[in-house]
Amino acid sequence: MNDRIWTIGRILKWTEGYFADKGLESPRLDAEVLLSHVLKKQRIYLYVHFDEPLQPEELAAYREMVKKRVMHVPVAYILGEREFMGLTFKVTPDTLIPRPDTEILVQATIDRLKAMPASDDTALHIADIGTGTGAICLSVLHYLPQATAETVDISPAARAVAEENAEQLGLADRITFHTGDLLVPLAGRTFAAILSNPPYIPEADIGTLAPEVCTKEPHTALSGGADGLDFYRRLAAEAPQMLAPNGFLAFEVGIHQARDVAALVKANPLIGKTEILPDYAGIDRVVVAWRKE
């Protein structure tokens, strides 16, 4: 970028070309999202004010963001936030970035909890294992005001982000946070639902992922062991006994993993039936398993 006057339209066109030359997958969208953030405007504003010149401080802030993006820092980490289920969540390099496909898991949980027979408030007590930003459980709490939750993450830094999100969304009084290994901190408790989007990428596949993922997002939130199923094996063995009668497990899974995960949980004698739900692209993405009465 030189010292000529940079209008919104001109800088978007330049950035789109620059990002494309660097091999970024969505150069125009990234350029618009970053500039919208700098200007504190909606993206539509960029098109209505195409000829508006940027102020020096706006241009300086935008340049810094562009530098980070071409180093494959994800847009969500640059902005420090990500929208999910219509809510805004803080994200940091200590947390996995929430994906749209995970909304399938959240909506499935909300629908099934709503369908449970009316009872006292404790009937809608849920657990979220490997909570990260807290996007899953906090979204459930937002849309189900009678629900409460407990979460576990092995990373103290991720837990801190989730706690901040709970405060920001006004949900801190309905959730308890734990730091630890999967279900261990929840021993002796019973839940209507146990949710998890655990690490499920086979270790050998991580290096083939986009640089934004394999070099920037936390490895512990990605690697599911040799075949990607390590965490599901533990959850399938340990979680059903922590469900109330007719409670359910709901797990996000990777491509081609749904049937294997469903078989793992079905092998537990406490589980009565399983469901497999597709994502927006028609890929099997969520496994739901119900405890027997």
Side-chain angles (χ1 to χ4, degrees), residues 243-254:
L243 289 174
N246 294 313
F248 63 90
L249 310 174
F251 302 147
E252 180 173 330
V253 299

Side-chain angles (χ1 to χ4, degrees), residues 12 45 209 223 280:
L12 283 176
Y45 180 92
L209 302 176
S223 178
Y280 300 118

Side-chain angles (χ1 to χ4, degrees), residues 98-176:
R99 267 68 167 180
D101 287 337
T102 305
E103 294 184 353
I104 304 297
L105 170 62
V106 173
Q107 192 60 56
T109 298
I110 292 170
D111 292 344
R112 284 153 182 76
L113 288 174
K114 282 183 175 180
M116 284 186 168
S119 184
D120 60 283
D121 289 345
T122 58
L124 297 187
H125 190 49
I126 66 172
D128 179 22
I129 310 303
T131 195
T133 62
I136 292 172
C137 59
L138 292 172
S139 295
V140 173
L141 295 187
H142 175 81
Y143 290 106
L144 285 180
Q146 69 273 41
T148 57
E150 296 190 52
T151 77
V152 180
D153 202 289
I154 200 167
S155 165
R159 170 182 168 170
V161 173
E163 288 179 322
E164 189 171 337
N165 281 325
E167 290 285 352
Q168 185 65 31
L169 293 169
L171 299 169
D173 61 336
R174 293 164 50 205
I175 188 167
T176 302

